[in-house]
Amino acid sequence: MKVNQEIVKVWILPAGVVLAVVIGTFWDTLTGLYHQWTHNEDFSHGLLILPVSLFLIWEKREAILALTPRMDWRGLLVMAAAVVLFTVGELGAELFTARAAIITLFIGAVWWIYGMALVRVIIFPLLLLYLMLPLPGFVYRNLTFPLQLIASSVSVDILNALGFLAYREGNVIDMGFSQFQVVEACNGLRFVLPLLCLGVIFAFYRPMIWWKRLVLVAVTVPLAVGTNVVRIAGTGILAHYYGVEVAQGFFHDFSGWAVFMACFALFLGIAFLLSLLPGKPGPRERRPERDDRPSPVNLKRHLTATGIALAFCLVSPMVVGVLGDVSPMTLKKDLASYPLELGGRTGRKSQMEAEIWAQVGGQEYTIIDYSQPGKPPINFYTAFYEYQKKGGDFIHSPRLCLPGAGWHIHTNRVRTLQTDSPGAYGGRLQINELIIEKNGYWQLSYFWYQGRGRNFTNEYAAKFYMVWDGIFRRRTDGALVRLIAPMASKEQVEEVRGDLDRFAVLTSRTLDEFLP
């Protein structure tokens, strides 16, 4: 294909300029994305998605050049939707949404400048760009620990079936002579996500009937999880003969690469078997016919459309800045004055390490250990956020942080406590109740979100109302409240629960005197 001046003016220059402006306008967000690709191996596959998308678009070059660009106002609607989406990400303190909005903005610009005909031709490479985004934080954390438990549990079953002595405690595999932990890095996501992307590319790049495509994509997840289990079980067998050193260092990294290649080989085998099954693909995409004459293009209108798209991209951050900028809300009273005498208990304050508090990212907190003769002690912790933002200063769920600290969650449920204040949260307080254990130590833990006159237990509901209140009330402040009581054993839960229920209701009522 000979690149002439017409192709440069009509196709290469407008798209390239829009892409450059989008990258420059949202540089901070995109550099954060690049940092995550290069520092978190679970998402490192994202580095390859853009080159693959560009290659797939290049493959369509003949069909693209046969088109005549025509402005399509629906593209402007997509760009406007991207601005709304970015604002939602800003108010909801969610990087994934903001990043997805940038891709949507670019797709809308392409649609507006070139028209729906081009979008139809390159729709798959454009949608593929969304797969380069790391998962939302709360989704990622909700996946990693269950995957660790699945991997460790099934691995132990395999080891026992093969005659090796092994048992599991949480995500720790004990083989008698040694223990090794199925850590977050071994959760299997670094197999699942790249293989899923490869499955999508392979399924939709090659011509095949729709149900085969679905099977090929769906099989990637169990295949990746299964091969990760085989890797962990294999590590346990080698550790039995050669020591736990094989679970670390070079062998650990090399085995991960080797197992992924074996996993991909299995995937190709499944694809080959599917090709042998009955079911022919539909007709190949019909490319528009073209002659040797250049397509008639109104360059003036084309450049005007490009200029409008560029202006839209440049103005978008300012619009998001206005819509997503909420004023910080200060406490009615400083948390330093939180009562040390509460419900017949006497409290003693403690401090969090500065490094940990920097990661938490709030503005104020307090930690108090309440004691009472003949009663189990209760640890009270609350962190207040004047406003929450996607850079990291937002409430983190203990349900996600506890496993990282080595605690195993045995029971996790939502309960509703009746309060003696009918006006407060409808006379009810919703809490998350966790029964957790670490190295034989048991605890009963409650936590909930409180603020802006609302009470939440669900992270998704908390996100929704952050956006809702950010738009209509111009505030995203809030607090996390957590209570912990130790137990001698799991059987003591009923006794401890009664004390903790009463103290939770009292705590919530007392906090209302501090929270705005």
Side-chain angles (χ1 to χ4, degrees), residues 53 66 95 101 241 261 281 296 319 321 350 376 389 467 483 489 508 510:
S53 294
L95 274 171
Y241 291 108
M261 295 307 296
V319 176
S350 59
K389 55 187 178 182
V467 175
L483 300 175
S489 66
S508 176
T510 306

Side-chain angles (χ1 to χ4, degrees), residues 6 52 76 135 139 168 184 186 190 196 300 395 424 474:
E6 181 82 3
V52 170
L76 287 179
L135 296 173
V139 174
R168 177 183 66 88
E184 186 175 284
C186 298
R190 67 186 52 177
L196 178 63
K300 185 176 180 180
I395 297 175
R474 308 305 299 160

Side-chain angles (χ1 to χ4, degrees), residues 356-364 384-385 387 389 392-394 396:
I356 298 177
W357 176 239
Q359 294 178 7
V360 173
Q363 280 67 54
E364 288 194 45
F384 174 70
Y385 296 74
Y387 63 95
K389 55 187 178 182
D393 294 346
F394 57 89
H396 299 265

Side-chain angles (χ1 to χ4, degrees), residues 361-476:
Q363 280 67 54
E364 288 194 45
Y365 78 94
T366 189
I367 302 175
I368 304 176
D369 291 301
Y370 287 97
S371 60
Q372 183 179 9
K375 299 284 186 180
I378 295 176
N379 174 266
F380 162 69
Y381 162 73
T382 187
F384 174 70
Y385 296 74
E386 295 176 350
Y387 63 95
Q388 299 177 65
K389 55 187 178 182
K390 65 180 185 298
D393 294 346
F394 57 89
I395 297 175
H396 299 265
S397 169
R399 184 163 33 222
L400 308 179
C401 301
L402 285 169
W407 289 95
H408 176 55
I409 301 175
H410 287 264
T411 302
N412 177 9
R413 63 170 179 163
V414 176
R415 294 180 55 227
T416 300
L417 307 180
Q418 299 299 320
T419 72
D420 54 2
S421 303
Y425 319 118
R428 301 183 303 169
L429 174 67
Q430 286 195 321
I431 61 163
N432 289 293
E433 179 188 278
L434 307 179
I435 299 177
I436 58 178
E437 176 267 333
K438 178 180 179 181
N439 299 327
Y441 293 96
W442 292 84
Q443 291 183 346
L444 181 63
S445 176
Y446 291 176
F447 77 90
W448 66 91
Y449 309 106
Q450 186 169 328
R452 308 190 307 276
R454 302 187 188 277
N455 163 226
F456 301 110
T457 56
N458 183 281
E459 288 83 4
Y460 299 96
K463 287 283 185 182
F464 172 81
Y465 279 106
M466 271 179 59
V467 175
W468 182 271
D469 291 342
I471 294 173
F472 296 105
R473 300 173 63 185
R474 308 305 299 160
R475 54 185 291 194
T476 59

Side-chain angles (χ1 to χ4, degrees), residues 216-452:
L216 205 55
V217 173
V219 78
T220 58
V221 176
L223 184 62
V225 172
T227 50
N228 185 51
V229 167
V230 171
R231 176 197 178 194
I232 294 170
T235 300
I237 294 171
L238 291 175
H240 177 81
Y241 291 108
Y242 301 106
V244 293
E245 292 77 13
V246 299
Q248 303 168 355
F250 170 78
F251 177 81
H252 180 272
D253 297 335
F254 176 78
S255 66
W257 177 84
V259 167
F260 180 77
M261 295 307 296
C263 183
F264 184 59
L266 286 172
F267 171 78
L268 293 178
I270 293 171
F272 174 73
L273 292 176
L274 279 174
S275 68
L276 301 178
L277 296 177
K280 294 182 179 181
R284 283 182 172 272
E285 177 185 332
R286 188 177 180 182
R287 296 184 176 181
E289 296 181 359
R290 64 188 298 262
D291 53 31
D292 294 329
R293 295 172 298 175
S295 301
V297 178
N298 187 327
L299 282 177
K300 185 176 180 180
R301 292 188 66 191
H302 192 56
L303 292 176
T304 300
T306 303
I308 292 172
L310 293 176
F312 207 114
C313 294
L314 290 170
V315 171
S316 294
M318 290 182 278
V319 176
V320 172
V322 172
L323 297 177
D325 184 27
V326 295
S327 301
M329 299 292 294
T330 57
L331 290 162
K332 297 177 186 176
K333 295 189 291 184
D334 194 275
L335 286 177
S337 63
Y338 197 87
L340 294 178
E341 300 290 333
L342 194 64
R345 294 174 178 267
T346 302
R348 180 174 57 86
K349 290 188 177 182
S350 59
Q351 298 293 319
M352 188 186 303
E353 293 182 13
E355 295 80 5
I356 298 177
W357 176 239
Q359 294 178 7
V360 173
Q363 280 67 54
E364 288 194 45
Y365 78 94
T366 189
I367 302 175
I368 304 176
D369 291 301
Y370 287 97
S371 60
Q372 183 179 9
K375 299 284 186 180
I378 295 176
N379 174 266
F380 162 69
Y381 162 73
T382 187
F384 174 70
Y385 296 74
E386 295 176 350
Y387 63 95
Q388 299 177 65
K389 55 187 178 182
K390 65 180 185 298
D393 294 346
F394 57 89
I395 297 175
H396 299 265
S397 169
R399 184 163 33 222
L400 308 179
C401 301
L402 285 169
W407 289 95
H408 176 55
I409 301 175
H410 287 264
T411 302
N412 177 9
R413 63 170 179 163
V414 176
R415 294 180 55 227
T416 300
L417 307 180
Q418 299 299 320
T419 72
D420 54 2
S421 303
Y425 319 118
R428 301 183 303 169
L429 174 67
Q430 286 195 321
I431 61 163
N432 289 293
E433 179 188 278
L434 307 179
I435 299 177
I436 58 178
E437 176 267 333
K438 178 180 179 181
N439 299 327
Y441 293 96
W442 292 84
Q443 291 183 346
L444 181 63
S445 176
Y446 291 176
F447 77 90
W448 66 91
Y449 309 106
Q450 186 169 328
R452 308 190 307 276

Side-chain angles (χ1 to χ4, degrees), residues 198-208 212-213 216-217 267:
L198 286 171
V200 170
I201 294 169
F202 195 86
F204 288 88
Y205 180 69
R206 293 188 60 194
M208 62 178 67
K212 291 185 180 181
R213 286 179 172 172
L216 205 55
V217 173
F267 171 78

